Amino acid sequence: MIRRNQHILTQLIAVCDFLLLLFAFIIAWWVKFESGWLNHGEPLPFRTYLVWGMIYSAIALVLGFFLNFYVPKRKKRFSFEVIKILQIHFFSLLFLLSILFVYKEIHISRELLAIFVVLSIGLQTIFRYSVKVATRELRKKGYNKQFVLILGAGSLGKRFSNNLEQYKELGYEVIGFLDDYSTDSESADGSYKPIIGKLEDLEDVLGSEIVDEVVIALPLTAHLKYGQIIATCEKMGVRTLIIPDFFDYLPARPYFDNFAGMPLINVRSIPLDDLGNRILKRSFDIGFSLAAIVITLPLMLIIALLIKLSSPGPIIFKQERVGFNRRTFFMYKFRTMKVMPEAMSDTQWTVENDPRRTKLGEFLRRTSLDELPQFFNVLMGHMSVVGPRPERPYFVEQFKEEIPKYMVKHHIRPGITGLAQSKGLRGDTSISERVKEDIFYIENWTLLFDIKIILKTIVNGFVNKNAY
């Protein structure tokens, strides 16, 4: 029933959003004028404020429809909804301020507006998260399903079917396969999805079965059949998706580009290629690193003094690393080892019980306190707070030959911490696993993802048993 009335559910959510915004307005009114927490002066009548609150809520609702906020988001991450919420309220506030200016309504409390917008964003985010969790649980129990027909029962089609089984919260069910040659549709787990016909039976199957999406998982040798398949699906009003037979060569999230009037598959989607995203991340990096430097400055001064007193040599150790666009830079750390020739430090790994370490250096490494000076690298633009960890040129030359896709990590600025480090992949751990996590981060970057990684790094602690 939920599936058949998806449009009604969407409209119901829109109504709930409108009521939620009005509720946020009432709370904002109470905080500003009734709670006594703020110096409110003489307010305008509640009725006047209520009118403007309803206008704002209506603007947000209309913008939501224009920005595709009220469409099914089964395949979207929750971060997509958060970004949409922020966009909607940013533009809604601009519209409201413009209307207030035109009507010369200069006595509306700016504090109330600020409280109202912040509350609206917070409450709507919580509500949408609750809806997403609830719908996922319903889908796991078999409600609100979408039915998929796979064309091609070869390794590609079976792999896709198996993957769908791993994500039951998405609510997709494979009804079967169409294939001209295979008769065996056994999955990796030993289960079977029926082969219900050949490709020429597609129109009959779409007419007799409930099918929401057709997934083409045919080999490249069958590409001449694609035109007729797509035409049949569109005739029957069924969405069509294509899994390219060369997808193993593509990254996790390729995207279509347009060049000289022709559609092209861009083999790697990097959100930070977008200027707006780069500005957002850089602004966050500067603000965060400045705050970190101010907060940790007394600690850094104490560490510097202890290093100076405990062993001869400089306080700061700088080492050449490979960063953004394969450009080298000098990364700063508190010195944790005895002074040694530069060539030796650039070509040797630190090992357990390394005799080159100082007593203080061993503590600084295990607690990651030796990394604090890298916030100055962030300010200078060499690094980011979150990103793939940079490596020495000597090892980069080795790894790029030995580890597939290793050099992809240099498409963005390196970081003080990263997704791999937040999962415990630090020090003497698999380079291949770290690269895998780095590429996932590069292709799925959002500011919320950065904040999540920072929080996870803090929660998991800075002590690293693999740091030698």
Side-chain angles (χ1 to χ4, degrees):
M1 186 177 73
I2 297 176
R3 178 179 170 276
R4 294 173 181 171
N5 296 285
Q6 181 68 50
H7 66 288
I8 297 177
L9 181 62
T10 300
Q11 293 170 4
L12 180 62
I13 290 175
V15 171
C16 289
D17 276 343
F18 183 79
L19 296 176
L20 198 67
L21 296 181
L22 291 182
F23 179 64
F25 164 77
I26 292 171
I27 296 176
W29 165 271
W30 180 83
V31 170
K32 173 61 181 174
F33 296 118
E34 301 293 337
S35 66
W37 298 341
L38 301 173
N39 181 20
H40 55 73
E42 290 296 326
L44 293 173
F46 174 77
R47 182 175 57 188
T48 301
Y49 275 107
L50 181 60
V51 169
W52 290 113
M54 293 181 69
I55 290 173
Y56 179 92
S57 302
I59 292 171
L61 204 66
V62 172
L63 280 175
F65 281 103
F66 274 106
L67 294 175
N68 294 322
F69 190 49
Y70 296 104
V71 296
K73 293 179 282 293
R74 185 184 296 256
K75 301 171 187 172
K76 300 289 187 182
R77 295 172 177 271
F78 181 64
S79 57
F80 170 84
E81 295 195 56
V82 174
I83 291 170
K84 288 293 183 185
I85 289 171
L86 292 174
Q87 289 177 339
I88 288 167
H89 286 285
F90 174 76
F91 289 114
S92 295
L93 182 60
L94 288 182
F95 273 115
L96 182 67
L97 292 176
S98 300
I99 296 171
L100 290 174
F101 175 78
V102 170
Y103 281 87
K104 299 181 180 180
E105 192 68 79
I106 61 174
H107 298 294
I108 294 290
S109 169
R110 301 303 186 257
E111 284 184 342
L112 182 138
L113 285 179
I115 297 169
F116 175 36
V117 172
V118 171
L119 278 174
S120 297
I121 293 172
L123 290 175
Q124 201 169 16
T125 301
I126 293 170
F127 170 64
R128 282 314 184 97
Y129 183 75
S130 301
V131 170
K132 196 166 190 70
V133 170
T135 52
R136 280 183 172 181
E137 291 302 315
L138 286 171
R139 288 167 188 157
K140 284 181 181 179
K141 295 177 180 178
Y143 298 99
N144 196 20
K145 281 190 173 182
Q146 294 274 304
F147 296 99
V148 176
L149 175 66
I150 301 177
L151 306 190
S155 60
L156 195 61
K158 290 177 184 176
R159 183 171 173 182
F160 178 71
S161 178
N162 290 336
N163 285 353
L164 279 185
E165 289 294 321
Q166 306 302 315
Y167 296 94
K168 293 187 181 296
E169 70 276 7
L170 295 178
Y172 284 94
E173 181 178 326
V174 177
I175 66 168
F177 296 87
L178 295 184
D179 196 283
D180 288 341
Y181 303 103
S182 296
T183 57
D184 177 14
S185 59
E186 182 180 1
S187 300
D189 60 359
S191 62
Y192 283 84
K193 296 293 182 182
I195 295 178
I196 56 180
K198 297 182 180 297
L199 296 180
E200 63 187 24
D201 302 321
L202 176 60
E203 186 169 346
D204 292 336
V205 172
L206 295 182
S208 60
E209 302 283 345
I210 297 176
V211 179
D212 296 291
E213 295 182 359
V214 168
V215 175
I216 303 175
L218 297 171
L220 286 176
T221 53
H223 76 278
L224 292 176
K225 301 178 181 180
Y226 281 30
Q228 182 58 47
I229 290 170
I230 294 171
T232 300
C233 290
E234 292 187 341
K235 174 184 175 182
M236 303 299 290
V238 177
R239 292 188 296 273
T240 313
L241 298 91
I242 300 174
I243 304 176
D245 193 29
F246 49 86
F247 86 102
D248 277 329
Y249 301 103
L250 300 177
R253 297 180 66 187
Y255 67 97
F256 274 93
D257 209 338
N258 190 286
F259 184 68
M262 297 290 289
L264 301 176
I265 297 177
N266 192 319
V267 299
R268 194 163 302 281
S269 172
I270 301 177
L272 287 171
D273 282 346
D274 181 77
L275 177 62
N277 287 338
R278 291 203 302 274
I279 292 173
L280 183 62
K281 183 172 176 64
R282 184 65 185 144
S283 301
F284 176 80
D285 284 341
I286 292 172
F288 190 93
S289 56
L290 281 173
I293 289 170
V294 171
I295 292 170
T296 62
L297 186 59
L299 178 59
M300 286 196 281
L301 292 174
I302 292 171
I303 292 172
L305 180 61
L306 291 174
I307 292 173
K308 198 66 179 174
L309 294 175
S310 62
S311 65
I315 294 170
I316 298 296
F317 171 71
K318 65 177 185 178
Q319 190 175 60
E320 189 178 27
R321 298 287 174 115
V322 180
F324 180 47
N325 279 340
R326 305 179 305 282
R327 305 295 193 272
T328 58
F329 69 99
F330 284 102
M331 188 179 79
Y332 303 125
K333 301 175 75 171
F334 281 122
R335 183 173 59 83
T336 59
M337 292 188 171
K338 301 168 185 175
V339 177
M340 64 192 73
E342 186 174 324
M344 184 181 296
S345 66
D346 287 344
T347 59
Q348 289 187 9
W349 288 109
T350 309
V351 297
E352 191 172 6
N353 300 318
D354 198 311
R356 298 172 296 168
R357 291 177 309 179
T358 64
K359 290 290 185 182
L360 176 61
E362 182 179 350
F363 170 76
L364 294 178
R365 279 176 173 270
R366 289 198 176 277
T367 56
S368 301
L369 292 174
D370 62 323
E371 313 280 359
L372 288 177
Q374 287 164 38
F375 283 111
F376 291 98
N377 281 118
V378 176
L379 284 183
M380 289 185 285
H382 302 145
M383 297 177 67
S384 180
V385 176
V386 179
R389 287 294 292 168
E391 191 48 83
R392 288 162 281 181
Y394 176 82
F395 293 109
V396 169
E397 290 301 314
Q398 289 185 10
F399 294 151
K400 77 176 184 180
E401 301 295 338
E402 300 169 2
I403 300 172
K405 303 179 183 178
Y406 179 80
M407 297 302 287
V408 173
K409 65 186 287 184
H410 300 110
H411 287 333
I412 65 172
R413 284 189 178 93
I416 297 176
T417 187
L419 181 60
Q421 287 68 41
S422 72
K423 293 184 175 183
L425 295 171
R426 306 164 65 187
D428 187 18
T429 54
S430 168
I431 303 296
S432 297
E433 285 298 314
R434 284 192 245 172
V435 170
K436 182 179 176 181
E437 298 294 342
D438 288 339
I439 291 176
F440 181 85
Y441 169 79
I442 289 169
E443 294 181 341
N444 294 273
W445 177 88
T446 65
L447 186 59
L448 288 175
F449 199 9
D450 272 3
I451 295 171
K452 180 180 177 180
I453 290 170
I454 292 170
L455 292 175
K456 194 171 181 180
T457 301
I458 294 171
V459 169
N460 290 345
F462 297 98
V463 178
N464 180 16
K465 65 180 180 180
N466 295 313
Y468 301 139

